Amino acid sequence: MAVPRISKEDLKARLDGGNPPSIVDARLKYPYEHSTVLLPGAVRYANGALAAPLDKNRDVVVYDSDPNETSSTRVAVELIRQGYKVAALKGGIVDWLGGSLPVDTKD
């Protein structure tokens, strides 16, 4: 299944707009645990489940730490099958951080 991609610039514009998408962090365990940041408002996806429910009426953007979007694509496919409208972030969190875009600090 083909998964749409969204650029960091388009995501930033959407986050700043009136109807921001839900953000899902699909990083693998090691990269997630060894990072202190996540994209603004991101919900963690791990072990086949979301840490919090998502609104099916909002678009969803999934990201990971792989510049090829391997994990985020896999998770996006799962969410698409559940009825969500999903895109993967091109370049993942690495590209986002490279653009000096805003992040939240993890608890």
Side-chain angles (χ1 to χ4, degrees), residues 11 18 24 27-28 43-44 52 65 72 82 86 91 100:
L11 176 55
V24 173
R27 288 179 285 179
L28 298 175
V43 172
R44 179 80 174 124
S65 57
S72 59
Q82 294 174 30
V86 185
S100 299

Side-chain angles (χ1 to χ4, degrees), residues 10-24:
D10 288 344
L11 176 55
K12 174 70 168 86
R14 299 267 326 269
L15 289 173
D16 291 343
N19 190 20
S22 297
I23 307 294
V24 173

Side-chain angles (χ1 to χ4, degrees), residues 27 64-72 89 91-94:
R27 288 179 285 179
D64 61 18
S65 57
D66 179 0
N68 296 315
E69 303 100 32
T70 305
S71 294
S72 59
L89 177 62
I93 194 168
V94 173

Side-chain angles (χ1 to χ4, degrees), residues 7-99:
S7 70
K8 65 182 182 267
E9 296 85 4
D10 288 344
L11 176 55
K12 174 70 168 86
R14 299 267 326 269
L15 289 173
D16 291 343
N19 190 20
S22 297
I23 307 294
V24 173
D25 185 322
R27 288 179 285 179
L28 298 175
K29 182 180 178 180
Y30 182 85
Y32 178 79
E33 289 179 352
H34 290 86
S35 173
T36 59
V37 298
L38 51 114
L39 268 65
V43 172
R44 179 80 174 124
Y45 183 96
N47 302 318
L50 289 162
L54 298 175
D55 181 348
K56 285 197 176 180
N57 294 318
R58 287 178 69 187
D59 291 347
V60 176
V61 175
V62 182
Y63 72 93
D64 61 18
S65 57
D66 179 0
N68 296 315
E69 303 100 32
T70 305
S71 294
S72 59
T73 298
R74 180 184 47 80
V75 171
V77 167
E78 291 177 32
L79 294 174
I80 290 168
R81 288 185 176 142
Q82 294 174 30
Y84 294 95
K85 183 179 175 193
V86 185
L89 177 62
K90 290 182 203 173
I93 194 168
V94 173
D95 199 36
W96 184 265
L97 293 172

